[in-house]
Amino acid sequence: MAASGQADSRGMRRRGLLKAALPLGATATALGAWPATATATATGNSPSAAPVRRGRDRIDVHCHLIPDFYRRSLSAHGITEIGGVPVPAWSPALAVGFMNRYGIQTQVVSVSEPGVTYLPSAKDRVAMAQRLNTYTSQDLVHTTSAHLRGRFGGFAVLPLGETVDEQDVSHAVTEARRAVRDLKLDGVGIFSSYGGTYLGDPVFAPLMKALDDLGAMVFIHPSTPQGYPDLGLPPFLYEFTFDTTRALVNMLYKGVYRRYPRIRWLAAHAGGTLPYISYRTSLLTLTPAIAQQVGAAGLDDSSPSFRGLFYDTALSPAPQAMKSVRELAGTEHVLFATDWPFTSALFLTAGDPAPQLDETFSPAERLAVERSNALAQFPALAARIGAERA
C-alpha cells in the first residue's frame, strides 16, 4: 500500500529525501515565512494596501485530523507515512494553536489518505468510519468545550476500501446520510481513486445519487495512484495533483457533473493540474463540427462543468496556480486552505499564512477567498460561528 511505512527501497529513498528537503525548503520558501512586504502584487496593490487582519477571520477548508485511536490503528497496520510524509502530530489543542498563530477562525477537517481503505474487512471499515465521523461531530464540530466551540467544521470519511464493490458503496451511502443528516457534518470527503478505481466509475453511481439528494459539498482529496513511476520523490509532490486531475476529467466524460448537479465539488490543491489543462481535457465535449453549428468556434471551449467546481489554495497559493484557477472559475470559486498538519514544516513564522495570494487577488478578493466564499458554501458552519453569509 502506498501509505504504508514498509522499508522497501522506494520508501527509504522517499523518507531520506523528504527529511533532507523539507527543512531546506521550509527555510527558503515557507508559506508563512515570506514577509508581507516582499513584493508588490500583480493586481496593482502595494504591500501597504493589504487589508489589516483583525483577530481570526480565515476559514481553512482543507486540513486534517488524526485522533489518537486512528493513529494507533494506522500504526498497527504498518502505516507510518502518508503520501511520502511521516504521519504528523495532531491534537485539537495543536490545531487551535496553529489557527491562532495564522488568523484562522475555523478549520473544516477531513481524513487524509488512506482513510479506512487499509482495513481488510467491510465491517472494520464501517466501524472505523463511524468512529471517526462521530468523533469529528461530537468532539470537534458540535463540541460543548468552550475552548473548541466554533473552531472546527468537518467532512465525513466514507467506509470505502481498496477494492470498491457494491457492498462498500452501499455502506458509503448509509454513512454519508448519517454523517450529513444525523451528525450534522458540513460535507463528505472522498478520494480521487480507490485501488485504481476513479471517481466517475459506474460503481459509484448509488453514492453519487445519495450525495446529490443531500445537496452535499464533496471534498475530493487525492490518493497515491497505483504503479506510479518511481522518481525517488514523495508522491504528494506531484502524483497527488495528477490523481486529482484524473478523477475530475473522468467525472466529466462519465457525465457525473451533468447527472448530479446538486453536488458541489471542492477540488484539493487548486484542482491538481486541471485549471492549466482544462481546455485541452475538454476538447472531446465540443467537436469542431458542433462548434461551427453553435457559433462557438474561436471561443474558450473549457467545460462549464470545470468552471462550476470549487478549488482550494492548499500548497498552491502562488500565482502560477491561482491565476489559472481564477481564469477558469472566478474568484468566488476559490477557498483558502493550508493542508495542515501535513504542511507543518512550511509554517514557521506566525502571521500571514499565504502572502503569495496578494500576487493574484486584491485585498477585497483575498477576504472573499479566505472567508466569505467559504461562509457562502458552508451555511451551517456560518450559523455555528455567528457569521453572516456573503
Side-chain angles (χ1 to χ4, degrees):
M1 180 181 292
S4 74
Q6 296 177 353
D8 56 21
S9 59
R10 173 185 291 186
M12 292 176 67
R13 286 197 299 273
R14 285 205 305 262
R15 288 192 293 273
L17 177 66
L18 187 68
K19 290 176 181 177
L22 273 182
L24 176 61
T27 300
T29 61
L31 296 181
W34 290 8
T37 56
T39 58
T41 72
T43 56
N45 303 295
S46 65
S48 61
V52 176
R53 314 305 295 238
R54 290 185 170 86
R56 301 185 298 265
D57 59 10
R58 295 181 174 93
I59 308 295
D60 184 350
V61 301
H62 176 176
C63 42
H64 300 292
L65 76 161
I66 313 168
D68 288 341
F69 67 85
Y70 181 59
R71 182 189 302 276
R72 289 193 296 269
S73 179
L74 292 173
S75 179
H77 287 80
I79 299 171
T80 58
E81 63 176 41
I82 295 173
V85 178
V87 179
W90 180 89
S91 70
L94 288 174
V96 169
F98 171 76
M99 285 188 268
N100 290 346
R101 289 193 302 277
Y102 291 98
I104 297 169
Q105 181 174 7
T106 303
Q107 288 183 338
V108 185
V109 294
S110 58
V111 178
S112 183
E113 77 154 348
V116 299
T117 63
Y118 66 96
L119 293 169
S121 74
K123 180 180 178 181
D124 289 343
R125 291 192 292 274
V126 169
M128 180 57 75
Q130 289 179 341
R131 187 175 182 185
L132 283 163
N133 293 333
T134 299
Y135 171 85
T136 302
S137 176
Q138 294 182 356
D139 289 60
L140 299 178
V141 177
H142 302 291
T143 180
T144 58
S145 166
H147 182 61
L148 301 181
R149 190 180 301 121
R151 305 311 300 271
F152 294 97
F155 289 110
V157 63
L158 299 178
L160 294 169
E162 278 292 314
T163 302
V164 181
D165 57 23
E166 291 183 3
Q167 181 187 49
D168 258 11
V169 171
S170 177
H171 291 157
V173 168
T174 299
E175 185 60 13
R177 289 171 176 160
R178 184 183 84 99
V180 174
R181 292 174 176 170
D182 300 337
L183 299 181
K184 306 298 183 185
L185 293 181
D186 296 293
V188 173
I190 197 167
F191 297 146
S192 51
S193 62
Y194 292 83
T197 302
Y198 280 85
L199 297 182
D201 190 283
V203 71
F204 293 112
L207 177 58
M208 297 298 107
K209 175 65 166 57
L211 294 173
D212 189 67
D213 290 343
L214 292 168
M217 172 65 84
V218 179
F219 174 51
I220 303 176
H221 192 278
S223 58
T224 303
Q226 292 187 334
Y228 66 91
D230 181 12
L231 303 182
L233 296 167
F236 87 88
L237 199 62
Y238 52 92
E239 290 295 344
F240 271 16
T241 65
F242 300 154
D243 215 58
T244 300
T245 304
R246 294 183 187 105
L248 297 174
V249 173
N250 195 47
M251 287 197 293
L252 172 67
Y253 287 102
K254 296 301 191 298
V256 171
Y257 306 127
R258 173 176 48 81
R259 288 200 301 274
Y260 310 107
R262 297 187 67 239
I263 300 176
R264 290 163 296 135
W265 300 97
L266 172 59
H269 309 123
T273 65
L274 182 75
Y276 178 72
I277 62 172
S278 60
Y279 172 79
R280 179 186 179 122
T281 56
S282 300
L283 287 176
L284 297 184
T285 66
L286 191 63
T287 66
I290 296 176
Q292 291 178 2
Q293 292 176 12
V294 301
L299 298 179
D300 179 356
D301 300 334
S302 295
S303 170
S305 295
F306 291 157
R307 297 187 185 280
L309 304 179
F310 294 87
Y311 302 84
D312 77 38
T313 69
L315 290 173
S316 308
Q320 298 94 316
M322 285 295 101
K323 289 184 178 180
S324 292
V325 174
R326 180 177 178 171
E327 181 67 21
L328 173 63
T331 300
E332 65 275 13
H333 279 241
V334 184
L335 305 180
F336 170 75
T338 64
D339 208 352
W340 187 87
F342 289 94
T343 54
S344 294
L346 300 180
F347 294 95
L348 302 178
T349 305
D352 188 344
Q356 303 97 320
L357 293 176
D358 279 341
E359 300 181 58
T360 301
F361 303 106
S362 70
E365 289 170 333
R366 272 203 68 173
L367 286 171
V369 166
E370 294 177 311
R371 182 172 177 82
S372 58
N373 290 348
L375 295 178
Q377 297 306 318
F378 296 93
L381 184 153
R384 289 197 305 272
I385 64 177
E388 294 183 2
R389 293 171 55 183

